Amino acid sequence: MAELLKNLVAGSWVAGKGPGTALLDPVTGAEVARVSSEGIDLASAFTHARTTGGSALRALTYAQRAALLGEIVKVLQANRDAYYEIATANSGTTRNDSAVDIDGAIFTLGQFAKWGAALGDANALLDGSRAKLGKDGAFQSQHVLVPTRGVALFINAFNFPSWGLWEKAGPALLSGVPVIAKPATATAWLAQRMVADVAAAGVLPPGALSVVCGGSAGLLDSLQPFDVVSFTGSADTAAIIRAHRAVVAGSVRVNIEADSVNSALLLPDAAADSEAFSLLVREVVRETTVKSGQKCTAIRRILVPASLYDAAAAAIGAKLGAITVGNPRNEKVRMGSLVSRTQFDAVKSGLNQLRAQADVLYDGSKQELVDADPAVAACVGPTLLGTREPDRSDVVHKVEVFGPVSTLMPYRDLEHAYALIRRGEGSLVASLYGADTQALARAALELADSNGRVHVISPAIAQQQTGHGNVMPQSLHGGPGRAGGGEELGGLRALGFYHRRAAIQAEAAVIDGLAATPLAL
Ligand code: NAP
């Protein structure tokens, strides 16, 4: 039996009871580790984080906490090679795909370290400017932001064990709020190892960062009113969290990042031989195949002018045909596996649902796997589906197949395209492709209410653009409606979730002293 990974709770490493759940190599099926959260004293874990961890973090200024993030970056960088090995073994990702998770996390933390340093030696943040409450201005109001006196519980999805942890922990720790991370079971190893390395380096004060690996039972029951929960995962689990007593009765603040049927839209001015057309094709192929399509931001729906439907199908299909699929340890392999056989089954069943209302334009399931046994490995070839009647299909706008699958659809005019995109009922990201900057600006605003991010690709920035699905810490991540209604990142906006806003009404001299006033601990 593989090693049972311990949990870091109440400042100690604790093994859960029983044999635990096995984590597998999704390519070979070999057991790589075990996790168990059974029997853990969650009440003590949460109390220790809230009191010991929270007090220690709040005693520091923003600049001091930013320096801690910088120290975490150094620890993670020093252990990068081990993380790549774990990602290959437990997530089945190629080196390039592991980088999105591992180096993406390090980059994001580094950004928050830099932005946090600029906040200086303050213990509270002022929000906006002061307002006069009386006629003579002697009595004033100033809004302040102070760190919430609770814990931040992170419940994360399986596809980003590293980035999912640190893109949340960066803003939380910088805000002065201790973290309890619960990685998704299937890929928990990487998050657990990273926390272990940071703990061993003694970078953070005791109680600032805990990790619970294994089942989620009891986590939500441990929440108290000043705690916050940041969740990434499926809409079904999100609904359970939203309905929990801690949220309904205790007003525990919740951020939800759920699934999303994201779009890519080629503007009507593009021809089949235009650069915009090629940029769309390249981006769709990249988004379909990076991390085997297991990105919440991946392109799921491709909208092109009706006259370009066949050309787009041919161009995308040809490029997908060149993608080699199999064991990520083999250098010839461009796309590794899904994270588990369970996901493999989920992708197959989602594909069947979509195929009931769409044609298969490129079928990667016929491709031979490199160095992998199709009966064991969670590898699936890329698939391009298409429907010429996107108005009559509901599943293509509803069902997110969390794998290398996207659906092409034609539109008549831009109003039709916008209506189709909105049938996703709120998404994380839409990308636009064209050369007319005025038309792109109009379309971007048109889609900004239904997409958390609009990524606009034009020939002028073809080389510099950061990618439809790449979540940059400078930009908002989250989307309305079925995408969960959450907001993460967006530079220092991310700190808002971990702070409480209060209005201080006082004489001007008191207001003058607010930013320099340390919090009572
Ligand atoms: P999931 O089944 O909802 O699991 C997500 C997390 O919730 C896991 O840590 C899981 O733990 C935990 N969980 C399950 N049941 C729970 C409960 N009753 N109470 C508390 N926690 C519970 O989702 P998934 O299948 O892992 O993730 C894939 C989905 O995530 C996709 O639909 C994808 O679109 C979405 N996603 C969204 C984003 C985004 O940023 N918007 C990013 C990545 C993924 P166990 O693993 O132990 O079951």
Side-chain angles (χ1 to χ4, degrees):
M1 249 198 311
E3 180 193 347
L4 181 66
L5 305 179
K6 289 188 175 158
N7 305 285
L8 179 58
V9 285
S12 306
W13 286 100
V14 182
K17 284 192 186 137
T21 306
L23 311 191
L24 305 178
D25 180 323
V27 178
T28 65
E31 192 173 308
V32 293
R34 291 191 153 253
V35 291
S36 167
S37 57
E38 242 185 276
I40 288 192
D41 183 353
L42 288 176
S44 304
F46 276 70
T47 304
H48 181 263
R50 258 182 226 118
T51 51
T52 310
S55 302
L57 286 171
R58 289 195 303 272
L60 304 174
T61 64
Y62 289 92
Q64 288 170 324
R65 294 193 293 258
L68 296 183
L69 298 188
E71 293 303 311
I72 297 176
V73 165
K74 286 186 199 152
V75 174
L76 299 182
Q77 249 155 1
N79 293 286
R80 244 172 110 244
D81 290 347
Y83 304 150
Y84 272 85
E85 276 176 32
I86 293 173
T88 302
N90 191 198
S91 291
T93 38
T94 60
R95 206 171 161 81
N96 281 346
D97 287 356
S98 302
V100 182
D101 191 26
I102 296 166
D103 294 330
I106 295 174
F107 173 71
T108 301
L109 268 177
Q111 288 297 312
F112 279 99
K114 195 175 85 184
W115 296 329
L119 293 175
D121 287 328
N123 295 99
L125 300 172
L126 299 185
D127 175 27
S129 48
R130 56 182 77 190
K132 293 177 191 169
L133 295 182
K135 270 194 189 145
D136 63 0
F139 190 55
Q140 303 183 345
S141 169
Q142 169 71 57
H143 288 89
V144 295
L145 293 166
V146 293
T148 190
R149 268 171 201 254
V151 298
L153 171 64
F154 301 160
I155 302 180
N156 281 338
F158 58 74
N159 56 337
F160 279 105
S162 163
W163 178 82
L165 166 63
W166 297 112
E167 60 101 15
K168 293 178 167 84
L173 295 170
L174 178 57
S175 298
V177 178
V179 167
I180 296 181
K182 188 299 197 212
T185 296
T187 56
W189 189 12
L190 181 53
Q192 194 268 3
R193 172 65 72 82
M194 287 176 147
V195 172
D197 289 341
V198 171
V203 170
L204 292 170
L209 179 61
S210 309
V211 67
V212 176
C213 301
S216 55
L219 282 174
L220 298 175
D221 298 334
S222 309
L223 293 168
Q224 291 184 2
F226 298 152
D227 296 337
V228 299
V229 180
S230 189
F231 170 77
T232 302
S234 64
D236 291 346
T237 311
I240 293 174
I241 294 174
R242 282 204 173 96
H244 191 274
R245 181 182 35 79
V247 179
V248 176
S251 303
V252 164
R253 190 182 280 169
V254 177
N255 191 74
I256 305 278
E257 300 289 346
D259 50 6
S260 161
V261 191
N262 311 296
S263 321
L265 170 64
L266 180 64
L267 261 61
D269 61 329
D273 60 356
S274 65
E275 201 176 340
F277 180 89
S278 311
L279 290 170
L280 168 102
V281 170
R282 203 165 72 197
E283 200 66 14
V284 165
V285 171
R286 186 161 61 187
E287 283 298 310
T288 306
T289 54
V290 168
K291 286 180 74 68
S292 300
Q294 298 168 109
K295 281 201 345 256
C296 52
T297 48
I299 296 170
R300 305 295 177 195
R301 296 178 293 161
I302 310 148
L303 291 91
V304 296
S307 60
L308 296 181
Y309 181 84
D310 292 323
I316 296 168
K319 282 195 185 292
L320 289 179
I323 303 287
T324 40
V325 185
N327 191 331
R329 294 167 185 91
N330 187 312
E331 281 180 6
K332 291 197 191 101
V333 167
R334 281 272 309 278
M335 193 169 92
S337 72
L338 300 169
V339 299
S340 64
R341 221 35 210 195
T342 310
Q343 279 309 302
F344 178 88
D345 293 339
V347 165
K348 293 274 168 189
S349 123
L351 253 174
N352 284 340
Q353 264 182 289
L354 293 187
R355 286 171 69 157
Q357 294 183 4
D359 306 318
V360 179
L361 303 181
Y362 174 78
D363 184 0
S365 67
K366 306 274 187 302
Q367 271 174 242
E368 240 180 64
L369 301 184
V370 179
D371 254 3
D373 178 354
V376 176
C379 294
V380 285
T383 301
L384 178 67
L385 301 171
T387 170
R388 289 184 192 271
E389 296 189 83
D391 295 304
R392 296 178 57 180
S393 166
D394 55 343
V395 289
V396 299
H397 305 292
K398 256 191 199 154
V399 175
E400 180 208 44
V401 178
F402 211 55
V405 180
S406 50
T407 305
L408 183 67
M409 48 193 84
Y411 68 83
R412 291 184 299 275
D413 53 32
L414 272 180
E415 286 310 315
H416 184 216
Y418 298 149
L420 290 171
I421 290 175
R422 289 193 188 105
R423 285 187 64 182
E425 296 185 335
S427 299
L428 295 169
V429 52
S431 52
L432 306 177
Y433 305 77
D436 176 344
T437 52
Q438 291 296 316
L440 287 167
R442 274 195 303 275
L445 284 181
E446 195 65 40
L447 293 173
D449 65 319
S450 55
N451 292 271
R453 180 162 60 85
V454 182
H455 184 75
V456 183
I457 302 184
S458 50
I461 46 77
Q463 299 309 317
Q464 296 94 319
Q465 64 101 1
T466 49
H468 163 109
N470 273 350
V471 176
M472 301 301 289
Q474 294 88 342
S475 300
L476 183 79
H477 175 56
R482 75 164 280 175
E487 286 196 358
E488 287 181 346
L489 301 174
L492 286 174
R493 287 175 190 84
L495 272 55
F497 182 68
Y498 303 98
H499 283 74
R500 296 280 161 191
R501 180 184 286 110
I504 309 286
Q505 299 176 323
E507 68 167 271
V510 174
I511 304 270
D512 291 343
L514 286 177
T517 305
L519 291 173
L521 297 167

